[in-house]
Amino acid sequence: MSRLFLGDSITFGTGGIGSTFARQLDGVNAGVPGMQTARLILEFDVLVNPFLAPNQVVHLLLGVNDASAWVGLPAAEFRSNMEALADLTLADGRTLYVSPPYHIDLFPPSHAVNSRISDYGSELADLWANDSRFNKGAGLLLNPPSTIDGVHPDQAGHDHIANLLTAALP
């Protein structure tokens, strides 16, 4: 079964990472730096469709850019966008696994960005529990042990995420 990893710069491997979690898990890395949920919906045909295959496992990790100060997407809109992405992704026997964004070390836990990220995690937890389209990826334990800049995982961070996803993905 093939794997497709959709996401932002965290999935992409910003910072010259030698082996991203997508590569470690033998998947196609379709991470795009700066990606947001609404943008992925708009550009789905161009950015995602070329990589989709029948019976594929699709992992989605988005939200950090949605939570950013320049976007500030409310949790209800994040949820709606994730539901739209599920609709676009699920066909031809594909399954969707979703991991939430993690708190950004550059900001205190009470910062608006981290507050939105917590709200996104709550929305995803509800979707995991109540919407059969959504399977839990790495759960709420995704925080990498170390980053290159307070946001992007370094190699140890990608190793950590790969280990969590190895347990979660078929």
Side-chain angles (χ1 to χ4, degrees), residues 3-166:
R3 294 175 173 162
L4 174 63
F5 293 88
L6 303 175
D8 51 26
S9 56
I10 293 167
T11 300
F12 176 79
T14 296
I17 300 304
S19 185
T20 64
F21 64 84
R23 178 177 290 170
Q24 292 180 50
L25 297 170
D26 296 320
V28 174
N29 185 339
V32 176
M35 185 55 66
Q36 302 160 20
T37 55
R39 180 175 159 213
L40 188 57
I41 292 165
L42 291 173
E43 298 180 5
F44 198 87
D45 287 343
V46 173
L47 295 176
V48 180
N49 276 343
F51 299 109
L52 289 175
N55 303 313
Q56 190 174 45
V57 170
V58 178
H59 178 262
L60 183 57
L61 169 56
L62 281 171
V64 170
N65 295 309
D66 291 283
S68 67
W70 66 87
V71 177
L73 190 71
E77 287 182 50
F78 174 80
R79 179 189 182 114
S80 177
N81 288 349
M82 295 301 278
E83 291 170 330
L85 287 167
D87 291 340
L88 290 168
T89 303
L90 293 173
D92 298 327
R94 287 186 286 274
T95 54
L96 178 63
Y97 286 78
V98 179
S99 294
Y102 51 82
H103 286 149
I104 305 303
D105 292 339
L106 297 173
F107 307 119
S110 61
H111 190 278
V113 170
N114 283 330
S115 178
R116 280 190 286 275
I117 287 172
S118 292
D119 292 344
Y120 297 172
S122 296
E123 292 294 340
L124 288 176
D126 185 64
L127 288 170
W128 294 327
N130 298 305
D131 188 330
S132 62
R133 298 175 299 168
F134 290 86
N135 296 288
K136 188 184 298 186
L140 299 173
L141 304 173
L142 196 61
N143 283 56
S146 55
T147 65
I148 58 173
D149 58 6
V151 178
H152 301 97
D154 61 9
Q155 189 62 60
H158 275 274
D159 295 346
H160 170 76
I161 294 169
N163 287 335
L164 290 172
L165 291 176
T166 295

